[in-house]
Amino acid sequence: MKKAIKKVLVVNSGSSSLKYQLFDMTTETRLAKGLVERIGAGGPANHAEALKQVVADLGHPKDIDAIGHRVLHGAEVFKDSVKVDAKVLAKLDKLVKFGPLHMPANIGGIRACQQIFKGVPNVAVFDTAFHQTMPDCAAMYAIDPKYYKKMGIRKYGFHGTSHKFVTQAAAAFLKKPVDKVNLVTCHLGNGSSLAAIKGGQVVDTTMGLTPLAGLVMGTRCGDIDAAAVLAIMEAEKKTPAEMDKLLNKQSGLQALSGVPGGDCRDIVAKAEKGDKGAELALEMLGYRTALYIGAYNTIIGGADAIIMTGGIGENSSEARERIIGRLGALGIKLDKKVNAKTRGVVAVLSTKDSKIPVVVLPTNEELMIAKDTVKVLG
Ligand code: ADP
């Protein structure tokens, strides 16, 4: 008989850091969490060394039953979470081009676990997988299809694990079967994306080939006319790498407000002091999020609920007010009192007479990864 899976280690290995959480899946409770930093930069030499530190931090456990890994990109190859074997690893190696920064670290984390936790199964959980149900009309770009065929250029979407978690949580909250819920899920954090959920499945999302597209984010510009990118490159003689840095790391709320990293709390504080750039940053965040909520509500034929999650969605009453205040045409009114006091807990932010409820549901990507790990191995 197969051994029941009890303890699941969730690993999120980035280029220079490794985050982990240990779960007891009989009760879905977290037993431990931690972070190893500066991998290859003064700290541990590589991910295997980082994992040795994790093992020591956890007191050399002998009872880890499975390991779930956050992996950035599954392209069209992985439409769901998967148990890792040699074939899967070979396929993953071919997807490095979709995430040159993250994928080598994600794959390195898996290989290191195979080495350190001998015989313990590994499961890869992809940020893109939940979005693989998008129809072509949402997923394709209107350019020569040869770029899709040759290079896989299309919309993939990210934060899939979070959108999936809150979709399941929303179904439970609304007391509806998951395959019957229509939602607009808003993951608003340093990186932000919306997903249009019809019958429990993604039919559109705001991020694209990469996480750069869509909403105005901490340091990413989101949607922009591609011709504006070309004009800047030409005028300032920028290389693609330099332009990538400008759009991903030096734009968004940070560029508008002058607040390093574009942290929402600091921007709110700056706007309250009358800073025009910070004020515009918050207005653009609210405007573009509301714009997509309206569009997605149309696409899914009417939402059962609008879901707010992520650091901003769960905590920032100021940002939420600027979004929800723009949803009057959908019959949604903000309950200002509830909004003002809601931080990181389940709450309905809309008034009782609103046509569509707006609900805060805290996300838990790590628990979703642990759940998927159990499901794949079970
Ligand atoms: P990441 O995308 O890196 O996971 P988070 O989901 O943690 O980021 O979101 C980070 C954002 O959430 C920051 O802009 C931060 O200002 C905002 N945030 C976190 N806590 C609060 C709070 N209590 N009030 C307002 N904003 C908050």
Side-chain angles (χ1 to χ4, degrees):
M1 212 181 87
K2 247 185 180 167
K3 188 170 165 265
I5 293 164
K6 187 173 176 222
K7 277 198 189 172
V8 175
L9 181 66
V10 172
V11 173
N12 181 356
S13 68
S15 48
S16 66
S17 72
L18 187 152
K19 289 185 216 151
Y20 68 90
Q21 294 196 11
L22 182 65
F23 288 92
D24 179 340
M25 291 309 287
T26 50
T27 52
E28 294 190 353
T29 47
R30 191 173 68 201
L31 303 171
K33 71 180 265 193
L35 165 71
V36 183
E37 285 180 292
R38 309 197 322 138
I39 299 170
N46 51 44
H47 288 95
E49 293 302 318
L51 272 161
K52 282 184 190 159
Q53 194 174 315
V54 172
V55 173
D57 289 351
L58 291 172
H60 301 275
K62 295 265 178 285
D63 56 352
I64 290 174
D65 300 308
I67 305 166
H69 296 264
R70 179 176 191 183
V71 179
L72 176 79
H73 219 302
E76 288 176 332
V77 179
F78 297 106
K79 296 186 191 297
D80 210 340
S81 305
V82 63
K83 184 178 176 186
V84 178
D85 59 16
K87 270 191 196 153
V88 167
L89 269 176
K91 285 183 191 165
L92 283 173
D93 283 334
K94 290 203 180 124
L95 299 182
V96 166
K97 65 172 179 188
F98 286 108
L101 218 63
H102 292 92
M103 290 299 279
N106 298 161
I107 299 166
I110 296 175
R111 288 210 160 91
C113 280
Q114 290 180 324
Q115 194 184 322
I116 309 268
F117 298 93
K118 287 216 164 55
V120 178
N122 291 281
V123 170
V125 178
F126 301 90
D127 269 18
T128 51
F130 190 51
H131 300 298
Q132 275 294 303
T133 46
M134 271 187 287
D136 287 352
C137 62
M140 292 299 143
Y141 294 126
I143 53 171
D144 189 328
K146 77 178 181 194
Y147 295 106
Y148 165 63
K149 291 194 191 105
K150 273 205 313 208
M151 298 167 63
I153 304 271
R154 52 158 279 184
K155 182 191 277 195
Y156 291 99
F158 298 84
H159 291 141
T161 312
S162 177
H163 289 293
K164 184 174 172 179
F165 183 89
V166 295
T167 295
Q168 292 181 359
F173 182 85
L174 297 167
K175 300 191 173 63
K176 274 190 135 185
V178 175
D179 62 0
K180 295 278 188 300
V181 282
N182 289 358
L183 305 164
V184 181
T185 52
C186 311
H187 178 106
L188 309 174
N190 283 320
S192 300
S193 68
L194 259 59
I197 311 282
K198 186 170 181 152
Q201 293 194 328
V202 176
V203 292
D204 203 352
T205 189
T206 55
M207 284 178 168
L209 172 71
T210 76
L212 180 58
L215 304 175
V216 182
M217 301 176 233
T219 62
R220 296 185 198 127
C221 62
D223 293 342
I224 185 171
D225 183 347
V229 177
L230 300 177
I232 294 168
M233 286 181 83
E234 181 147 54
E236 299 199 345
K237 303 279 171 277
K238 285 195 190 299
T239 63
E242 287 164 349
M243 200 62 206
D244 185 279
K245 190 174 171 199
L246 177 80
L247 297 171
N248 272 295
K249 301 236 183 317
Q250 299 167 343
S251 297
L253 302 174
Q254 168 181 283
L256 297 166
S257 67
V259 168
D263 189 285
C264 192
R265 276 165 296 200
D266 299 342
I267 296 173
V268 167
K270 208 170 169 182
E272 275 166 5
K273 288 194 196 119
D275 184 88
K276 289 213 169 73
E279 177 59 29
L280 178 63
L282 290 173
E283 280 295 280
M284 283 179 74
L285 185 166
Y287 175 82
R288 205 178 291 175
T289 308
L291 188 69
Y292 271 112
I293 290 173
Y296 283 1
N297 183 62
T298 302
I299 289 306
I300 61 178
D304 299 319
I306 316 277
I307 308 300
M308 297 272 161
T309 198
I312 294 174
E314 291 168 30
N315 299 298
S316 177
S317 30
E318 295 84 358
R320 289 186 309 228
E321 182 164 354
R322 288 177 199 246
I323 299 166
I324 301 166
R326 289 182 153 90
L327 302 179
L330 300 183
I332 295 172
K333 270 188 275 171
L334 180 70
D335 185 328
K336 289 196 178 182
K337 263 195 191 152
V338 176
N339 181 47
K341 63 174 197 227
T342 298
R343 302 250 181 289
V345 292
V346 176
V348 179
L349 302 179
S350 47
T351 56
K352 284 212 172 66
D353 60 344
S354 290
K355 285 202 183 117
I356 306 171
V358 180
V359 186
V360 173
L361 293 173
T363 195
N364 192 338
E365 290 167 278
E366 292 77 15
L367 178 58
M368 192 70 240
I369 293 172
K371 280 180 164 185
D372 260 19
T373 300
V374 173
K375 195 171 150 214
V376 166
L377 299 173

